[in-house]
Amino acid sequence: MEAFKYILDKGSKKFLCPTCSKKTFVLYVDVETGNYLTDDFGKCDRLTNCGYHNAPPKGKKCFLINALSIKSVSDKATKLTDKNGFISIVPKSQILEQNGNNCWITEWFLKISTIQYLTNESKYFTDEIGFINVVTTKEPPLPIKPSFHNLELLDKMYCSKQIDNLTEFLKSKFSKDEVFKATQNYFITGTDYFWNNATVFFQIDDKEKIHAGKIMQYDMDTGKRIKKPYNHINWLHNAIKEPDFNLCQSLYGLHRINEDYQKTIAIVESEKTAIVMSLFIPDYIWIATGSKQNLKFDLLKPIKKRNIVLFPDKGEYFNWNNKATELNAIGFKIAVSDLIENTDFENGFDLADYYFQVQEV
């Protein structure tokens, strides 16, 4: 995804439009600082009656690379030797600033190279001379800390023994004792919030902090998520009326990594798949990203030192394999299974689907 230095403010605050003088003007904000730009950069919400829109230069995001040496090898190329002694040839057009053995390289080039950069300092260069760095001081948004649910809420909901359709489906496929163990391991909880017999997936990290409660509804007979007439997905903080809750997700099942420090960690996309596979193959610790986009450094950081195997859904193998390559370059130990990718099933088919198919044969 292309990175932008400035974006329109996503909050509800509006200012006076410099053209129509109505309080319908949304200012641009600096992505990294959260500060507003000057009053002339923004967009009027009155698209038909006004339509004023003045966007700042988009700019290019670059990362600071500390190298052992940087040497010009031609008019268009530079040889860069990084701290580990690895050599890369970098187009001069992609080095936007250099000071001795330090240089700023574009994010675009770093993504296709083997140069380590994920945790480095970054900044943006515009196509024009200099930067837009004059910001207003009026009411800049303050950094918001992540919110957490309390353990008492989890305990109350888990112990209420509310029936949920997913658990009932699992009982039709596994023994009563196996399903009970799974509900204990993952704190599977039933609720009538939003929909009858829905399932709550608590996202609990390795420090036992509860980041979220994801509520989804399943069909009791098929075990499939209900997607019609709309996706039945919501969040616990919406159900219990916490409008100021700052959602900051973690991997689902992350709390289980403390059970056994020797076990390999297996990562899938769906929470249901992690639960099902923990019953089929308990030799792994099964964790879910919750969405294909959540396979990222910030969420995987707590398991960086562990052996990890990814099991992407059909159609996602190449995306997850590319991400694994990127993460392995900064010290992760990730292997990627192509088991599901090599089947003839349609995109979206996952590991749990595969094992249920095998079981029925």
Side-chain angles (χ1 to χ4, degrees):
M1 179 181 293
E2 187 174 5
F4 293 95
K5 170 64 172 172
Y6 311 112
I7 61 172
L8 287 167
D9 185 12
K10 295 181 180 179
S12 59
K13 193 169 183 60
K14 303 290 177 65
F15 298 87
L16 291 178
C17 174
T19 299
C20 68
S21 299
K22 300 291 185 181
K23 198 173 182 180
T24 54
F25 195 58
V26 180
L27 291 178
Y28 275 91
V29 296
D30 186 308
V31 171
E32 294 184 350
T33 67
N35 292 332
Y36 292 119
L37 302 190
T38 50
D39 290 345
D40 52 331
F41 291 113
K43 182 178 182 180
C44 183
D45 277 348
R46 302 174 72 229
L47 299 179
T48 302
N49 296 322
C50 178
Y52 177 79
H53 184 197
N54 184 25
K58 182 171 63 176
K60 295 178 180 178
K61 187 173 185 179
C62 297
F63 287 85
L64 178 63
I65 305 298
N66 299 310
L68 291 177
S69 67
I70 304 174
K71 294 181 180 179
S72 175
V73 293
S74 73
D75 292 341
K76 297 183 178 181
T78 296
K79 182 173 77 171
L80 182 146
T81 306
D82 69 16
K83 294 290 186 179
N84 296 317
F86 295 110
I87 296 174
S88 300
I89 302 300
V90 184
K92 288 185 176 179
S93 62
Q94 303 305 310
I95 301 177
L96 300 193
E97 185 178 300
Q98 182 178 341
N99 182 14
N101 288 337
N102 296 333
C103 65
W104 295 87
I105 299 179
T106 63
E107 182 181 37
W108 174 85
F109 179 78
L110 290 172
K111 283 185 174 181
I112 63 173
S113 74
T114 58
I115 301 171
Q116 296 184 20
Y117 72 97
L118 284 182
T119 58
N120 291 26
E121 181 182 351
S122 65
K123 68 178 180 181
Y124 289 76
F125 290 82
T126 68
D127 295 329
E128 301 176 358
I129 298 174
F131 299 90
I132 297 176
N133 53 18
V134 178
V135 298
T136 61
T137 58
K138 56 184 179 184
E139 302 183 48
L142 298 174
I144 303 176
K145 294 182 179 179
S147 300
F148 302 102
H149 293 299
N150 58 58
L151 289 171
E152 288 76 13
L153 176 62
L154 181 149
D155 185 63
K156 179 181 178 181
M157 294 186 67
Y158 176 71
C159 293
S160 68
K161 299 304 177 186
Q162 166 71 42
I163 292 175
D164 71 286
N165 290 343
L166 178 59
T167 299
E168 295 305 303
F169 166 76
L170 293 177
K171 289 178 181 177
S172 70
K173 300 293 183 179
F174 301 96
S175 71
K176 183 178 179 180
D177 288 342
E178 287 175 320
V179 175
F180 178 71
K181 184 177 181 180
T183 61
Q184 284 189 314
N185 286 338
Y186 290 95
F187 298 98
I188 302 172
T189 305
T191 185
D192 284 336
Y193 283 132
F194 301 114
W195 313 285
N196 290 335
N197 302 336
T199 305
V200 184
F201 299 106
F202 282 103
Q203 294 180 4
I204 309 170
D205 68 19
D206 53 319
K207 303 296 189 300
E208 296 188 352
K209 290 185 177 180
I210 306 172
H211 289 243
K214 189 176 182 181
I215 301 175
M216 293 195 280
Q217 190 179 38
Y218 289 80
D219 184 286
M220 184 184 296
D221 297 322
T222 66
K224 300 291 185 182
R225 188 156 54 86
I226 296 178
K227 299 181 180 180
K228 293 182 179 181
Y230 57 88
N231 265 333
H232 286 52
I233 301 176
N234 214 312
W235 297 93
L236 183 58
H237 60 271
N238 293 329
I240 60 177
K241 311 299 182 185
E242 291 190 5
D244 297 326
F245 191 93
N246 184 32
L247 177 64
C248 182
Q249 295 191 61
S250 72
L251 296 174
Y252 178 71
L254 186 61
H255 63 283
R256 297 199 62 204
I257 67 172
N258 298 321
E259 295 175 7
D260 190 322
Y261 294 101
Q262 302 301 316
K263 278 188 176 182
T264 295
I265 294 174
I267 299 181
V268 293
E269 181 181 332
S270 160
E271 293 90 351
K272 167 197 159 185
T273 301
I275 295 165
V276 169
M277 294 311 302
S278 74
L279 295 171
F280 277 126
I281 310 179
D283 292 337
Y284 288 167
I285 293 176
W286 291 89
I287 287 176
T289 61
S291 75
K292 62 187 70 174
Q293 294 84 6
N294 277 348
L295 185 72
K296 53 189 178 182
F297 174 78
D298 288 344
L299 296 189
L300 270 67
K301 189 176 179 180
I303 56 175
K304 182 178 180 180
K305 296 182 180 180
R306 303 288 291 266
N307 292 319
I308 303 168
V309 180
L310 306 182
F311 291 92
D313 292 355
K314 179 66 181 283
E316 282 301 313
Y317 172 80
F318 294 103
N319 290 333
W320 278 31
N321 189 58
N322 289 339
K323 193 64 180 180
T325 300
E326 184 179 308
L327 292 168
N328 285 339
I330 57 170
F332 281 82
K333 295 174 288 185
I334 303 176
V336 187
S337 170
D338 61 0
L339 173 65
I340 304 303
E341 195 66 26
N342 290 329
T343 67
D344 294 326
F345 295 102
E346 63 184 18
N347 286 349
F349 190 85
D350 68 15
L351 195 63
D353 297 326
Y354 176 83
Y355 269 80
F356 280 134
Q357 291 269 359
V358 171
Q359 189 182 49
E360 292 175 359
V361 174

